[in-house]
Every structure is written in C-alpha cells, then in structure tokens.
C-alpha cells in the first residue's frame, strides 16, 4: 500500500506512519500532519480496550491499515515508504488489576519490538517519535528542608487509612515539598503500564544507538480533550470526571483532592508531536509535554463542573485511595520549550470549557462512576 502521490519538495518530512492513529491522541496527530501538508498512513487495530467500533472522526485524508502492531507482516506493510514514524500505539491507563499484565506487555513491548525490527530491516534512518508518559517517573520530585532532594518511600497503607496522604522524608519523616520533575530525574515506574512505557523508551534508545536513527520520546502528562474514551476503566481521570457529569453524578475525587498533576490539552500534544517530527538533526531524548501550570485534582474537577453548566453536580472528596497511586507528579517544561520550541497554548480554564462540550467516544468496558485509578 504505497503512500499517495509524490514526495513534496518543501520538506524532508512528507510521508509519516502514525501507529495508533485512530486513537485519542493519535487521531489528533494525524489531523495536524495532514493540515501541514504531509502524507499519512495509520496502523491501528482498533483495540478492544479502546474502541467499540471504528470511530466516526477518522480523517479521510490518511491511508488506514486496520491491523495489529503485533503482526510483523502488517508492520512491514505499514512502514513501507515512511520517512518518519509517530509511535502512539499502546494499551494505556493504569488498568484494572494485575491480570492486565500480559496484554500490556504484548501490545506495548512486543508491538514496539516488531516496529523497531521492521525499521531496522528496512534500514530506516529517519525520525522516530515515541509517545511516552509521565508515569515513568513514579512519584514526582520532592525536597526536604533538611536533606535536600529525596526519593520518598512508597506510601504506607496504615498512613493512607489514617488520611496521611503526603509522603514523608525517608530520613527524618518531616513533610516534603513537591517540585517540578525534569527529564533527567530518576525513573521509578510503579505500575504495569509505567513499566511498559519505560521499556518502550529503552527499546527505542537501543534502536537509535544501533542504527543512528533520530529518536525522541515525549512524556505526556495528563492529556484531555475531544475523542477521549469514556465509561472505561482504561481512560484518564479527566474522562472519569466528565463521564460522571454525563450521568448527572458528582465526580469522585480520591484522597483529599490535593494531589498535584499537570493537565495538557490534546491539541497542544498534537502540536508537540509535529514539532518533534520536524525537529533539527541532533535533537533527541525525552521531553516533558505539559502545560507548565500544575493543578490539584480537586481544582480540575471543580473547573470541569463549572464549565459543564449551572446545576451540574459538584465534585465530592471521597477520602478513598489506591496504594499504588502517586501523590504528586508535575513537570518542568523548560527542555521542550528550549529545544523543541514547544509551549502549551490552551490554559486550563479554556481547555475545561472546551472539554465540557467536546465529543467523547464510548469505551467498550462500560462502567458507572469513577472506578479507575486516578493518575
């Protein structure tokens, strides 16, 4: 299946493969690439954990290969003629329980291995952009007033039961101050999904060393916007809040609602991918893709409820918790701004007003309320 037409002379980046290009973020990347005049092929299996059926928002300007990245023959067909690759395909979210491990590893790790093996066999030397995640950091960055930067121990169940949600200093047990996480922070994945995302980064880095290909990993923070799946435990917390409002239920906010995250609109994330795909020679490595304006989960739930309209149910602080959830993680955007020229443009208030009205898509694992982990 060749790319349509002939390569353009105005740019070396003209034929792009987007794996997972029918998904939430991937479809926005496809739209942005087509709007910029590039040729696009999509490889997507419409995974059962993300799709009930082919979505109605697929851009007719792209070529679609509806097949599985775990199928080497499908991957060989997909990469044929590609100048660059945007690798978005993955099972996402924190899952339901440990029984999800085989599916996460199969899609995220073996699928990435199949893609890299095909690119190696084809002597690909172009740009590869990987969709990574903030979850590779685990708990964020913390400072003790006496001991400086410290890595907090995992939160203890007896502390959580007692509503002691903040991780203490592991040396003196004093309160810690959370800080923005830079890309060179230690990586401590705490979930199956996080472990597979870090493994994807390592595999892509090894591919770059072996081939000389240019690899960039984009560590997305909490992405929200149109086309998010709802009604599924594999969606993000913003989708869970919106799902509750759709059902005229109060968004359920875990712990005390003071957990700090960075929420970034999907339109900004798509633009970050375009910048990464067209980055100058020599720009490689991981980049935080975030708004640079951290917020608490309670604040985000409040803003979305307000944007939903008068009479919308108000968020409820539940005090419930999951031992594997992290307390605070938010990012330093400086490297992405300095090397990619990326800064988020959609402020949270505007983004939540848009998100309250934007179309979501029904997920296959219908649930009621907020039953998923809150990232």
């Amino acid at each position: 299946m060749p790319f349509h037409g002939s390569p353009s002379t105005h740019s070396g980046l003209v034929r792009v493969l987007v794996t997972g290009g029918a998904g939430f973020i991937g479809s926005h990347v496809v739209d942005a690439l087509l709007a910029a005049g590039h040729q696009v092929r999509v490889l997507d299996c419409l995974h059962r954990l993300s799709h009930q059926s082919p979505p109605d928002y697929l851009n007719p300007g792209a070529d679609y290969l509806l097949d599985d990245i775990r199928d080497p023959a499908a991957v060989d067909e997909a990469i044929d003629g590609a100048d660059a690759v945007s690798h978005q395909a993955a099972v996402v979210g924190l899952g339901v329980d440990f029984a999800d491990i085989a599916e996460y590893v199969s899609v995220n790790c073996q699928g990435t291995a199949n893609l890299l093996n095909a690119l190696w066999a084809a002597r690909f030397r172009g740009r590869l952009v990987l969709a990574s995640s903030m979850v590779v950091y685990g708990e964020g960055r913390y400072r003790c007033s006496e001991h400086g930067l410290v890595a907090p121990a995992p939160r203890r169940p007896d502390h959580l039961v007692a509503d002691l949600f903040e991780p203490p200093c592991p040396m003196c047990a004093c309160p810690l101050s959370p800080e923005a996480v830079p890309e060179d922070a230690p990586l401590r994945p705490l979930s199956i999904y996080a472990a597979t995302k870090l493994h994807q980064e390592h595999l892509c880095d090894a591919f770059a060393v072996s081939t000389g290909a240019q690899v960039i990993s984009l560590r997305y923070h909490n992405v929200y916007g149109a086309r998010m799946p709802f009604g599924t435990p594999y969606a993000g917390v913003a989708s869970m809040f919106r799902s509750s409002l759709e059902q005229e239920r109060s968004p359920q906010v875990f712990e005390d609602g003071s957990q700090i995250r960075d929420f970034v609109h999907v339109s900004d994330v798509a633009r970050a991918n375009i910048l990464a795909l067209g980055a100058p020679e020599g720009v490689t490595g991981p980049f935080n893709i975030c708004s640079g304006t951290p917020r608490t989960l309670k604040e985000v739930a409040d803003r979305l409820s307000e944007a939903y309209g008068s009479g919308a149910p108000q968020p409820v602080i539940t005090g419930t918790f999951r031992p594997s959830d992290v307390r605070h993680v938010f990012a330093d955007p400086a490297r992405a701004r300095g090397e990619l020229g990326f800064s988020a443009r959609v402020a949270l208030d505007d983004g939540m007003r848009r998100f309250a009205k934007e179309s979501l898509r029904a997920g296959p694992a219908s649930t009621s309320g907020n039953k998923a982990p809150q990232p």
Side-chain angles (χ1 to χ4, degrees), residues 267-286:
S267 62
D268 281 324
V269 174
R271 187 166 49 82
N273 275 271
I274 304 306
L275 291 169
L277 285 164
E281 185 85 9
V283 176
T284 61

Side-chain angles (χ1 to χ4, degrees), residues 56-268:
D56 60 6
Y57 54 69
L58 297 183
N59 194 315
D63 291 323
Y64 289 87
L65 179 60
L66 299 182
D67 216 325
D68 201 316
I69 197 170
R70 291 171 291 184
D71 180 353
V75 176
D76 286 342
E77 181 179 358
I79 68 164
D80 185 29
D83 301 310
V85 178
S86 172
H87 182 28
Q88 308 289 324
V91 178
V92 301
L94 299 185
V96 176
D97 54 40
F98 201 80
D100 288 324
I101 185 170
E103 190 70 8
Y104 275 79
V105 172
S106 175
V107 175
N108 298 359
C109 301
Q110 186 58 55
T112 299
N114 284 353
L115 174 65
L116 297 175
N117 187 56
L119 293 173
W120 174 80
R123 301 181 183 276
F124 176 84
R125 299 294 183 271
R127 173 77 67 180
L128 169 63
V129 173
L130 168 68
S132 188
S133 171
M134 67 168 190
V135 296
V136 301
Y137 296 120
E139 275 287 357
R141 181 182 177 100
Y142 292 85
R143 186 176 298 274
C144 173
S145 59
E146 182 174 347
H147 297 101
L149 288 176
V150 296
R155 296 189 294 170
R156 290 167 43 179
D158 60 322
H159 284 186
L160 296 173
V161 168
D163 295 340
L164 299 174
F165 300 121
E166 297 290 343
C169 175
M171 294 180 234
C172 66
C174 288
L176 298 173
S177 298
E179 296 183 352
V181 182
E183 286 85 353
D184 60 358
L187 304 180
R188 303 185 183 94
L190 298 176
S191 69
I192 294 166
Y193 172 59
T196 63
K197 296 310 288 185
L198 182 55
H199 191 45
Q200 283 185 312
E201 285 197 24
H202 288 166
L203 291 172
C204 290
D205 289 345
F207 174 74
V209 170
S210 297
T211 65
Q214 303 283 302
V215 172
I216 287 177
S217 295
L218 301 180
R219 292 175 181 164
Y220 302 156
H221 285 250
N222 290 72
V223 187
Y224 69 98
R227 305 174 188 170
M228 284 190 87
F230 71 93
T232 167
Y234 297 88
V237 63
S239 175
M240 290 297 168
F241 291 161
R242 169 77 188 272
S243 296
S244 291
L245 291 168
E246 290 279 326
Q247 301 168 31
E248 300 183 350
R249 297 163 57 100
S250 293
Q252 306 291 291
V253 185
F254 290 0
E255 300 184 15
D256 62 359
S258 297
Q259 309 94 304
I260 301 174
R261 300 291 188 271
D262 187 301
F263 285 78
V264 57
H265 195 267
V266 68
S267 62
D268 281 324

